[in-house]
Amino acid sequence: MMQQMGSGVEPMRVNRPHVRALGRRIELISMDPHFHDITIGLYETSAPDGAISYLLHSYSGRSGVDQRLRSLAASMATIGGLVIEPGEGARLRFRCGKGHRLACRRLFVEAGKVKPGVEAQVRPLQIADRTTGRTITIVHDDANTYRVTADGLDDGRAQRIGAIGRGLARLAELELIGEDATRVRTTCGHAHDELVGLLLMRALNLRAAMREQEEAMSRGMLVAPSAQKS
Ligand SMILES: [Zn+2]
């Protein structure tokens, strides 16, 4: 049965059926600062019909863990525009039913920073860019296409806008449209305003975001993207 585990320790229980049902772990909060430093994993499962869902799980036996996981799931749902699946456990999915694994991992980590009792906020499609001193606005053009714009246009700005477009494409697994990289679209065909808003902040400093990702991979939490099937 479940035992209370020390923080940061996740036992190997691969032979247990209930563990297999968790799915594949794709991200980890090793010490939750808002709940006794417990370890929380984000697991990905795909249903027979191909729909992807994400489960939050902790091996901690502390009382109140379920409530903490549900609260974290609620924050993820708000920040990332996901829906919580009914039933036991803290399980979510995107409205489109697709995976968006990379974006979901970032979302999980961001949601983990939300203090208990504080309502999670959706990030707007607008941000101040310190590099240019301009406001960057993402315009939602149609169903799944987004355009990066800045107030005031000149030649130097176009390059910066393209860099932000490329950053968004990389971080949110979006497709770039055109040579100038000012437009991106989701691969699932659906709108994901919340995710685009969340990752816009990171896209302004792509180098730092990529460094964080490499550090996470070197901690052994992840399989390298080149080895992933989707
Ligand atoms: Zn989608």
Side-chain angles (χ1 to χ4, degrees):
M1 295 306 289
M2 291 284 189
Q3 291 174 1
Q4 187 169 329
M5 303 307 299
S7 57
V9 177
E10 185 156 356
M12 293 295 288
R13 295 183 181 181
V14 290
N15 294 325
R16 295 209 177 175
H18 78 277
V19 172
R20 277 206 300 273
L22 289 174
R24 171 186 176 186
R25 195 180 76 198
I26 57 166
E27 189 55 279
L28 191 71
I29 293 173
S30 56
M31 291 174 76
D32 178 5
H34 301 309
F35 193 80
H36 307 290
D37 291 341
I38 64 166
T39 301
I40 301 174
L42 175 68
Y43 296 81
E44 180 188 276
T45 42
S46 68
D49 66 359
I52 305 287
S53 67
Y54 294 99
L55 178 73
L56 304 183
H57 176 78
S58 175
Y59 287 98
S60 168
R62 277 182 181 273
S63 68
V65 165
D66 287 349
Q67 196 181 355
R68 170 60 182 146
L69 295 180
R70 283 175 188 279
S71 149
L72 187 53
S75 294
M76 284 180 73
T78 301
I79 300 173
L82 285 87
V83 289
I84 295 176
E85 298 212 326
E88 282 185 30
R91 187 181 289 278
L92 311 106
R93 62 177 169 77
F94 285 104
R95 288 189 292 260
C96 63
K98 304 292 185 207
H100 305 300
R101 178 186 296 152
L102 185 60
C104 192
R105 284 177 38 216
R106 292 184 181 281
L107 169 61
F108 171 64
V109 172
E110 284 300 316
K113 297 174 186 170
V114 177
K115 288 184 181 144
V118 175
E119 204 171 321
Q121 300 287 331
V122 178
R123 294 258 163 74
L125 290 173
Q126 195 169 65
I127 196 164
D129 177 27
R130 263 184 270 169
T131 303
T132 55
R134 300 292 173 142
T135 300
I136 303 294
T137 304
I138 308 294
V139 180
H140 186 178
D141 271 343
D142 60 42
N144 67 329
T145 305
Y146 295 87
R147 185 161 38 93
V148 185
T149 67
D151 57 345
L153 282 170
D154 57 46
D155 290 346
R157 205 120 302 138
Q159 202 178 358
R160 177 64 178 154
I161 289 173
I164 293 170
R166 274 187 287 274
L168 268 181
R170 188 118 177 231
L171 297 173
E173 294 166 304
L174 301 169
E175 280 177 358
L176 281 171
I177 306 171
E179 290 281 305
D180 60 0
T182 58
R183 288 184 303 146
V184 290
R185 67 178 156 229
T186 65
T187 51
C188 64
H190 291 79
H192 281 292
D193 290 16
E194 297 92 341
L195 284 184
V196 172
L198 176 74
L199 294 167
L200 174 58
M201 183 179 62
R202 315 308 305 273
L204 295 184
N205 192 349
L206 182 63
R207 205 169 294 169
M210 297 312 293
R211 193 166 53 233
E212 268 183 29
Q213 190 172 317
E214 279 162 21
E215 284 167 5
M217 283 168 66
S218 69
R219 287 197 298 269
M221 281 153 42
L222 302 163
V223 176
S226 57
Q228 291 177 1
K229 285 181 185 166
S230 58

